[in-house]
Amino acid sequence: MPFGAGAGPALKAARLAILVMLGLIVPGTGSAEPTSATPRVIEALDNIRNLTRPRQDGYTTVWEGEKFIQCHALSDQSLSCEAAGATMQPPLARVLTPDRKQRLTSLGWRLDPSFGAYTQTFPATLSLDQAADRLLAVLSQAYGADLTRIDVQTRWVTRQACPPRRGPNQHLAGMVDDDPMMAQTAVKGCAYTAAAAPAANSAGGINLSAGSQGTNPYDAGFPVASDAATTEVVVVDDPGGADQGVLREPRVRRPRRPRAGSGHREPRARRSRSGGHSSHRK
């Protein structure tokens, strides 16, 4: 047997043991092997946890494509993190299959209905390298992200209970961002509900929901008639004989007009004239 042929497995096991001791691989937590992104994620998390800026909060975002996780440090130095969901990014519905949602759950993430993201809080006792490893693990295992193409960003925003977020159809929709360039499309508030799609009614028209972005003519101040006024047809006889087809109900009024004009009045007039002549002759 060539020298060193049996040393490969032993060296691999020793390397794994060293990584476990360093906290880069934590057994039982779904951790990923270290990548070139790991040091950048650790540095970004250290920035928001240990740097203090008056009246500002720091957010670290780790992403690949549209698959991202963002974290910010709480007052006790724990890390509150969100993993992107399909509410703000509908295309992620194809990524977050039932199996991957189950993987998110097994890794400790829970769905938060406020913005449809998956959340988890890492305690202050968790080291930054362990936190970085877990963030990369969930991106890889639950989102299928390519860890060789990871981007990392730290952003400091004005402290407020519900900071603005990038709106739907924007890159990294749902990410906290108070950049004035994003103000027109930003979501402001503590929750977001996706607008309902326009639905066809029984008459074939379109009903626009209150949350849709469609143009409703009544939004411009036009009066809105009641149901009775919009469905009742008022028939008005036209003394001039003009055909007011919009107002008349053909099946109700038109059959009655000939009887009223020639079927009753003329016979009564003839009987009256004949009776008058008869008395004159006498």
Side-chain angles (χ1 to χ4, degrees), residues 23 26 45 51 82 84 100 131 135 139-140 151 160 200 237 279:
V26 182
L45 293 177
L51 183 63
E82 294 182 2
R100 286 182 169 175
L135 297 183
L139 283 173
S140 174
D151 288 305
Q160 50 189 302
D237 288 335
S279 62

Side-chain angles (χ1 to χ4, degrees), residues 17-93:
I18 293 173
L19 292 176
V20 169
M21 287 187 293
L22 291 176
L24 296 177
I25 292 183
V26 182
T29 60
S31 302
E33 289 191 11
T35 71
S36 59
T38 302
R40 291 185 288 136
V41 177
I42 293 174
E43 180 181 3
L45 293 177
D46 178 69
N47 181 281
I48 64 172
R49 175 183 273 183
N50 297 317
L51 183 63
T52 300
R53 292 187 178 182
R55 296 181 294 279
Q56 288 188 320
D57 288 321
Y59 287 81
T60 288
T61 306
V62 184
W63 78 91
E64 187 267 311
E66 297 298 324
K67 310 160 187 176
F68 75 91
I69 298 176
Q70 64 179 349
C71 302
H72 77 281
L74 303 179
S75 58
D76 61 355
Q77 291 197 326
S78 60
L79 295 172
S80 177
C81 300
E82 294 182 2
T87 299
M88 297 288 286
Q89 294 194 59
L92 286 184

Side-chain angles (χ1 to χ4, degrees), residues 135-157:
L135 297 183
L136 293 172
V138 74
L139 283 173
S140 174
Q141 298 179 25
Y143 290 85
D146 183 354
L147 297 186
T148 65
R149 302 177 61 185
I150 290 296
D151 288 305
V152 183
Q153 173 184 281
T154 298
R155 181 182 298 275
W156 288 83
V157 303

Side-chain angles (χ1 to χ4, degrees), residues 236-273:
V236 179
D237 288 335
D238 183 3
D243 185 12
Q244 301 294 331
V246 176
L247 297 178
R248 288 195 181 91
E249 176 59 45
R251 291 173 296 180
V252 177
R253 291 297 184 185
R254 288 184 178 178
R256 296 179 181 178
R257 292 179 63 185
R259 292 196 299 269
S262 60
H264 296 286
R265 293 181 182 177
E266 271 188 60
R268 286 198 298 268
R270 289 172 183 173
R271 286 196 298 269
S272 176
R273 287 196 297 272

